[in-house]
Amino acid sequence: MNNEENIQQEQKKESFRDRIATVDAQGKRKWIFAQKPKGKFYNIRTYVSFFFFLIFVTLPFIHVNGRPLFMFNIPQAKFIIFGKVFWPQDFFIFGIIMITFIVFIVLFTAAFGRLFCGWVCPQTIFMEMLFRKLEYAIEGDAAKQKLMAAGPWTSEKIARKATKHIVFYLLAFIIANFFLAYIIGVKELWAMMHHPADNVGNIAALMVFSAVFYAVYAFFREQACTVVCPYGRLQGVLLDKNSMIVAYDYKRGEERKKINKSEERTAGDCIDCHQCVKVCPTGIDIRNGTQMECVGCTACIDACDHMMESVGFKKGLIRYASENGIANHEKLHYTRRMKMYTGLLIVLTGLLTTLLLSQKDVKATVMRTPGLLFQEKGTDSISNLYNIKIVNKTMNDIPLTVKLEDHNGTIQQVGNTIHVKKEGQGAGSFFIILPKEQIKQRKTVVHVSLYEGDKKITTVKTNFLGPISSTN
Ligand code: SF4
Ligand code: SF4
C-alpha cells in the first residue's frame, strides 16, 4: 500500500468524527433506540441514582436557622449555600466558588474522565434512570420501540405513545416544582400553590421549566450532552493519555471477527457482535476510540462483559482504563498534572473556607458624607458627618446604635436608632465629634461599632478628617 492509500484509509477510518452519531449525512436526526443495559455497573448506577433522587427531593426541605440549606434565587440575586446567605455584595465569594468548581472539574476530568457525566450528572441520571426506564416499561424494549416507530398509527401505538407523553409531562412537572423550590424555596412554592393568582410570575416559570424538561427528556435527549453541554465539548483538552475513561482494549480486541466454533480462532477477542453499540445511549461505537459523545455511562462495559462471558472469554474487553493503560499496559497513576491541579484546588478551597467562615451576618459600610470636609463644633471640637449602610443577613429585625470605639469623642446620631429589617438593608447618618487636641494629623483612623442593646454586632474602620491641632 502506498502512502496516499495509507492516508485515504486512515481518513476513512476517522470519518466517523466528521459528524455526531445521531445526525446522518443529510443533517437529519437519527433517533437512538438504545437497548436496556444489564449488568454490574447498571445495577450500581441504579442504586446511585436512587440516592441522587433522594437528595434531590429532600434538600429543599432542609432548613438551618429558618433558612433553606441551599437556595439559588437568581432573580433576586440571593444565594444560600450551606445555610449561609450571599447577596450581590458577596459576589467575589461567589466568583471564588465558581473558580474552585471549575478547577475541581478540570482536575476531576484529568484524573477520572467523564465519571461525573455517567454517574452524577442530572441529565444522564434523569434520562437513563427515570425517563428511559419508564419508556421501556410503556413501549417495550429497543426492538419493540423501533418496530412501533416504523409501523402505522394503530390504536395500540396511539395509546402507548399518549401514555408515555402524559407520564413524561407529569414527571417533568414534578421535577420543575422541585427545581423551582431550589430557586424560590419551598415556603414560596407552597404559597404559590395556595395563591396562584398572586404568583403569576412563579407559575409562568413553573410552566416554562416543565415544558423545557418535557422537551429535553421526550425529544432532545442525548443531544443535550452531545450538542449543548460545554463540558462534553471540552473533553478533548481536559483528558490526557493517563485519564481514566471507558475504553475498548483494541490491543486485545483487534482484529474483530464473528465467532465461528468450527474453526480455531486466530482473530482478536472482539466477536463483532455490536452489543456495545446497541446499548449506547449516544449511538457511538466505542471501538473507534475516545469520542466527545461518550458520556461514560458504562452500558457498553456491561454489554461486552456479558458477551465475553457467554463465549468463554475474559471480561474487561471494554473497561475503565487509560489510553496508556491500553497501549502500554500502564497502571492508572497520579500524574504531575493531577498533582499540580490538586495543589491549586487545596489553595482555592482553603481560601474559600476562610472567606465563608469569616462572613459576618451583619455588615456595615461607613463613609464620610461626600463633599463635606469637617465642621468646627464650638471652640474645642471638630465634627465629621458619616453615612452608614447596613446589611442584615439574619432572620431577625435588629435595632442598632452606633458607638465610638476609640478616641475620647462622641457620636451624635441623626434621627433615632437604625432599625434594620430581617434579611434587609438599612441606612442612617451620624456625626463623630472629636476634641481638637486628639487630632494629630489630617486623617485620623477611628473605629465605630454597631450595638444591638449591649451586644456588639460589628466594628468598622473609617477616617476622620480635620485640621492638624495647633497644640502639636
Ligand atoms: S460508549 Fe459506552 S460509556 Fe460511552 S456513552 Fe456509549 S455506552 Fe456509554
Ligand atoms: S460488545 Fe464487545 S465483543 Fe461485541 S462488538 Fe462490542 S467490543 Fe466487540
Side-chain angles (χ1 to χ4, degrees):
M1 211 185 291
N2 64 32
N3 213 13
E4 203 171 310
E5 281 171 333
N6 260 338
I7 293 171
Q8 272 176 4
Q9 204 177 37
E10 200 52 39
Q11 279 175 344
K12 203 174 159 201
K13 248 171 69 184
E14 292 288 308
S15 66
F16 71 92
R17 295 196 192 274
D18 295 346
R19 57 177 173 268
I20 56 171
T22 49
V23 174
D24 67 15
Q26 282 71 46
K28 268 184 71 185
R29 170 93 178 266
K30 279 201 269 175
W31 192 263
I32 303 291
F33 296 97
Q35 233 172 49
K36 187 176 179 185
K38 268 189 230 136
K40 184 177 84 180
F41 283 103
Y42 189 67
N43 292 342
I44 303 173
R45 280 177 65 226
T46 303
Y47 293 127
V48 171
S49 67
F50 286 156
F51 181 64
F52 170 86
F53 293 141
L54 193 70
I55 298 225
F56 178 73
V57 298
T58 315
L59 276 187
F61 292 97
I62 301 177
H63 285 72
V64 182
N65 299 329
R67 275 202 194 106
L69 191 61
F70 292 100
M71 197 170 89
F72 306 94
N73 196 331
I74 298 162
Q76 289 181 13
K78 181 181 164 191
F79 301 89
I80 300 174
I81 300 168
F82 290 114
K84 281 247 169 206
V85 67
F86 297 93
W87 287 352
Q89 295 91 329
D90 308 307
F91 206 72
F92 72 101
I93 295 184
F94 210 71
I96 291 175
I97 292 176
M98 291 314 289
I99 294 170
T100 310
F101 180 68
I102 291 166
V103 174
F104 181 80
I105 293 277
V106 171
L107 167 71
F108 191 83
T109 311
F112 302 109
R114 294 188 76 169
L115 206 64
F116 170 82
C117 301
W119 292 79
V120 195
C121 173
Q123 165 65 21
T124 315
I125 300 220
F126 277 121
M127 182 68 240
E128 301 306 322
M129 294 294 156
L130 194 59
F131 287 90
R132 209 183 292 272
K133 278 180 194 259
L134 284 166
E135 192 172 56
Y136 290 132
I138 299 166
E139 290 191 345
D141 61 18
K144 270 193 183 161
Q145 288 176 24
K146 212 171 176 175
L147 216 71
M148 190 160 68
W153 282 93
T154 58
S155 53
E156 190 199 340
K157 180 171 171 176
I158 293 170
R160 284 186 192 272
K161 288 276 178 203
T163 312
K164 180 179 106 172
H165 285 284
I166 291 168
V167 170
F168 272 30
Y169 184 79
L170 285 177
L171 258 181
F173 179 73
I174 294 169
I175 294 171
N177 271 279
F178 280 101
F179 190 71
L180 197 59
Y182 280 94
I183 296 176
I184 60 173
V186 272
K187 286 178 189 162
E188 278 282 312
L189 188 75
W190 202 241
M192 178 194 89
M193 287 174 186
H194 284 87
H195 308 284
D198 302 336
N199 292 280
V200 179
N202 287 340
I203 297 275
L206 180 65
M207 289 303 141
V208 171
F209 289 147
S210 308
V212 169
F213 290 141
Y214 166 68
V216 166
Y217 295 116
F219 307 106
F220 201 55
R221 303 186 152 208
E222 75 291 334
Q223 308 281 306
C225 310
T226 57
V227 181
V228 178
C229 177
Y231 179 55
R233 307 194 85 78
L234 278 174
Q235 296 305 304
V237 283
L238 296 179
L239 295 176
D240 66 18
K241 291 193 168 181
N242 293 304
S243 306
M244 185 182 90
I245 47 170
V246 174
Y248 164 68
D249 188 343
Y250 50 88
K251 289 244 163 161
R252 190 187 135 193
E254 300 295 302
E255 164 200 0
R256 315 165 192 175
K257 198 172 174 208
K258 296 237 178 280
I259 205 117
N260 184 348
K261 286 193 177 146
S262 60
E263 63 180 38
E264 196 190 335
R265 188 167 178 92
T266 51
D269 279 358
C270 175
I271 56 170
D272 212 13
C273 62
H274 280 257
Q275 283 308 309
C276 50
V277 184
K278 286 180 186 160
V279 292
C280 180
T282 62
I284 59 168
D285 187 341
I286 189 70
R287 296 174 299 168
N288 287 329
T290 314
Q291 288 149 79
M292 187 266 293
E293 296 101 313
C294 173
V295 292
C297 73
T298 69
C300 53
I301 301 184
D302 279 334
C304 190
D305 277 352
H306 175 71
M307 293 316 293
M308 292 292 101
E309 235 176 0
S310 59
V311 293
F313 291 170
K314 207 172 105 205
K315 291 200 284 190
L317 180 58
I318 301 176
R319 62 180 183 273
Y320 275 123
S322 68
E323 172 54 30
N324 275 340
I326 301 280
N328 314 318
H329 301 289
E330 274 180 27
K331 281 200 171 153
L332 289 166
H333 65 282
Y334 197 52
T335 62
R336 224 173 62 190
R337 181 177 161 194
M338 295 176 198
K339 284 178 194 159
M340 222 174 70
Y341 286 154
T342 310
L344 189 59
L345 191 63
I346 290 171
V347 171
L348 281 171
T349 314
L351 184 65
L352 189 64
T353 314
T354 317
L355 280 172
L356 287 177
L357 291 178
S358 60
Q359 278 295 296
K360 288 182 179 155
D361 284 339
V362 178
K363 267 189 184 172
T365 321
V366 173
M367 296 213 339
R368 280 192 328 98
T369 307
L372 283 180
L373 286 174
F374 56 85
Q375 303 83 41
E376 294 271 351
K377 196 88 179 169
T379 52
D380 58 351
S381 297
I382 297 288
S383 74
N384 277 196
L385 180 62
Y386 295 85
N387 294 330
I388 183 166
K389 280 197 175 140
I390 301 147
V391 174
N392 175 12
K393 294 181 176 179
T394 69
M395 296 298 283
N396 307 311
D397 296 351
I398 315 181
L400 291 169
T401 46
V402 189
K403 288 184 187 168
L404 190 61
E405 283 296 309
D406 43 19
H407 299 283
N408 198 10
T410 52
I411 289 222
Q412 212 175 69
Q413 230 163 283
V414 180
N416 300 324
T417 310
I418 307 164
H419 280 270
V420 194
K421 285 204 178 321
K422 67 173 186 178
E423 295 202 323
Q425 300 192 31
S429 301
F430 62 89
F431 288 98
I432 296 181
I433 304 160
L434 291 187
K436 280 184 181 168
E437 77 265 10
Q438 296 218 354
I439 305 163
K440 304 207 180 333
Q441 51 206 343
R442 193 161 158 69
K443 262 187 193 175
T444 307
V445 173
V446 288
H447 292 87
V448 286
S449 294
L450 292 174
Y451 282 81
E452 182 189 1
D454 289 336
K455 191 174 135 206
K456 192 196 282 185
I457 304 289
T458 186
T459 302
V460 271
K461 193 169 98 176
T462 186
N463 285 317
F464 185 91
L465 274 194
I468 299 170
S469 172
S470 55
T471 55
N472 291 302

